[in-house]
Amino acid sequence: MSLRPQSRSGRVHPDVVSEDVKPSLKPSRSLKRTGSAVTGAADTSSDVGSWSRSASIRRSYVRVLSRQARTVEEEEAKRLNVPEEEHTAWLAERVRLEGRQNGFALLRFYCYMLLPVAYTTALFFGVFASLSYAIPNLLCNKVAKENSAAAFGMVECINNDTTREGGYSVRVGAKLFWLLFWMVEQGWVCIFAPLCAWAMCSSKAFTRREMWLVGGVAVFAMGTLCVLSPRFGYSINHLSVIMVSIWSSFIAMIISAHAIRRYTGSKQAGTRWFFFLLCTGQSMTFYTFLLPMAITARANDALNGMGLTIVRLIVHPAIWAAVLTWFRFIVRNLGYVPEMSTAIFMSYPVVYASMYGRFLLLSLDNVGSVVIMNLIFACFDLASKLTDRATDGLLLKLMFGERGRDVITASRDSDDRRMSETFTVLAYEMASIFAASAIFSFGGVALTPGVRPDHTSIWTNALAQAATTLVFTFLGMAMEGKFHDFEWSKSFISSRQAWRKMLIVYTLIALCTGGKLCTDLIALFCPVYYPNEDMILLEQCDKPSVFQAIQFSTADRFKIVGSYFNITASDNVNFA
């Protein structure tokens, strides 16, 4: 029995002839012809004779090894034939080494990804800090003192309503600032939808005439406000100004939908684009009307003080989860979008969801509650990332089946979209943490009436939330990379032109959308002037809350249901 070199997979070395396998007694036709040609024998009727001839020819083709070569092969076979315990230890060490290498590589990439995140955070913090301090202390200081503790607060000053007489009406600098501010906001509302379409589909999706038309509509909206406000004293909330803004943005959305339809070649894609922008605008309008009625000084007097908690834990996540799902559905049907350009499009809902969510979280007056709820949200987000490879895994399974979902989520395009969403959420979560903290600190928001804000507690909360967000985002990326085979660095931005485009758009979003959000959040509070200390604090307005209306409208119904199930009452006992 000769020594046969054999690998761990069980395959025999091809140069070694096995002696255990008995060859077939019936030779093939080619061996018959070859055997007859070599030996010169024509008798092939005997099976034993034909086998001897084929075996002799087979031995002539066997590679003859020298003693040194055979010794080398034997040593190689001994080296491969390691014990199972030793091989298991080697494999475990190899896995640990590769895990450390991949972990350090992901950490380097994560630090590189934090550079644009830090830029976005700094922009939002600068905008919110400057406006939060300037509005109650500089721009609307006289209005805040005159309308101290009034229900309308500083809304007239922020909206540039000059129809009423007051000390602020003669301040030309404040009126000019708010006029320019709202002119920029009017133009931004008109160009945002075409800007998103241009970012994802490139400028080739638009004709020159359409680009000029979008610019003309934006200039018309800005010019109308520039004429109506100084001439007639119309504020930004005047019906004429609102209608101009609505119709201008409506025309801009139609143009952008036409560009999307031309780029994708699908009329249905353009229709989806148009209607989902309308529905997203309705979500913004819902928040514009809901929050001023929810965040009031009487909010804790109804529903056992659980009204705002229900909004934080149920209403807010449900609304924005539905909006983000629709956004992802639209992006998924646009085709391939290179260089993370979908991050610009996803900024629209993510910035509102993050900012309102962090603001509602920071409105809690208990530091421990803020930290615990932040950890709970982070753990839920981490668990959702481990469940499915795609964010909409369950929805895709219901629509296309399990195999269809796996095919859709296994593509490189799906990985690119996931990278864009992860980056966008991280950027705006970090920006929202410091921007909302800037409102409470620089704006002088008093959670307790008459008490100055605790700046140390505010920024300790901010740092704790930022650390939690950074750590859990890194853990989520590491686990998704390990269990779902995401290669994050291959989906990140690589070209300088894409970097330039994204930084420009993110700067505009921070200046325009961030400024609008800051004024909306500050307008939720009423300025209260304390002459003894010569300070202005922003406090929750003393007006009825929407939760009181809910409790009042359902009180009788709950009472009826409760009395029906109260079987111990004397009225329900049958004495017969």
Side-chain angles (χ1 to χ4, degrees), residues 107-337:
L107 182 60
R108 288 192 297 269
F109 168 73
Y110 188 66
C111 294
Y112 175 70
M113 191 179 73
L114 289 180
L115 294 177
V117 173
Y119 174 76
T120 306
T121 304
L123 280 177
F124 270 88
F125 174 75
V127 171
F128 274 71
S130 57
L131 283 178
S132 300
Y133 178 79
I135 290 176
N137 296 296
L138 298 176
L139 297 173
C140 302
N141 184 264
K142 289 187 177 181
V143 182
K145 293 179 179 179
E146 295 172 358
N147 299 334
S148 178
F152 47 85
M154 297 176 295
V155 176
E156 295 179 358
C157 176
I158 294 176
N159 293 335
N160 206 20
D161 187 0
T162 58
T163 56
R164 297 183 181 182
E165 295 182 358
Y168 65 95
S169 61
V170 298
R171 300 192 62 176
V172 181
K175 291 195 297 183
L176 181 61
F177 173 82
W178 290 118
L179 178 62
L180 295 176
F181 178 84
W182 291 117
M183 285 176 59
V184 172
E185 294 296 335
Q186 288 281 84
W188 175 249
V189 169
C190 294
I191 69 172
F192 182 75
L195 183 65
C196 291
W198 166 79
M200 292 190 297
C201 305
S202 76
S203 58
K204 297 180 181 179
F206 291 88
T207 62
R208 187 179 297 273
R209 181 179 299 176
E210 289 174 343
M211 296 179 68
W212 279 104
L213 184 58
V214 170
V217 169
V219 172
F220 171 75
M222 297 169 65
T224 302
L225 181 62
C226 183
V227 172
L228 293 179
S229 182
R231 178 65 179 83
F232 301 100
Y234 290 172
S235 66
I236 190 64
N237 286 337
H238 194 275
L239 181 60
S240 301
V241 179
I242 292 176
M243 294 304 298
V244 170
S245 177
I246 290 175
W247 283 107
S248 301
S249 59
F250 187 81
I251 295 173
M253 285 191 294
I254 293 177
I255 297 173
S256 63
H258 189 67
I260 292 292
R261 183 180 65 180
R262 185 188 302 112
Y263 178 77
T264 58
S266 172
K267 185 177 181 180
Q268 190 177 12
T271 305
R272 288 171 179 170
W273 174 274
F274 177 77
F275 281 104
F276 102 91
L277 284 177
L278 285 180
C279 292
T280 307
Q282 295 301 318
S283 301
M284 311 303 176
T285 306
F286 173 77
Y287 260 80
T288 303
F289 284 99
L290 174 64
L291 288 184
M293 295 185 294
I295 303 178
T296 65
R298 305 180 192 177
N300 294 327
D301 297 339
L303 302 179
N304 295 325
M306 294 294 293
L308 284 178
T309 304
I310 294 174
V311 172
R312 294 185 194 101
L313 298 180
I314 300 176
V315 178
H316 174 82
I319 291 175
W320 291 107
V323 173
L324 286 172
T325 300
W326 199 357
F327 266 72
R328 287 190 293 265
F329 179 78
I330 293 296
V331 173
R332 193 180 294 115
N333 287 273
L334 286 179
Y336 177 67
V337 180

Side-chain angles (χ1 to χ4, degrees), residues 517-536:
L517 274 171
C518 184
T519 55
D520 289 343
L521 293 176
I522 289 180
L524 298 175
F525 299 97
C526 293
V528 179
Y529 177 60
Y530 294 91
N532 295 332
E533 300 181 12
D534 193 19
M535 67 175 182
I536 297 176

Side-chain angles (χ1 to χ4, degrees), residues 389 412 415 481 485-492:
R389 194 177 193 275
R412 169 59 61 183
D415 293 355
D485 298 327
F486 277 104
E487 296 178 344
W488 302 105
S489 58
K490 292 185 179 180
S491 300
F492 202 63

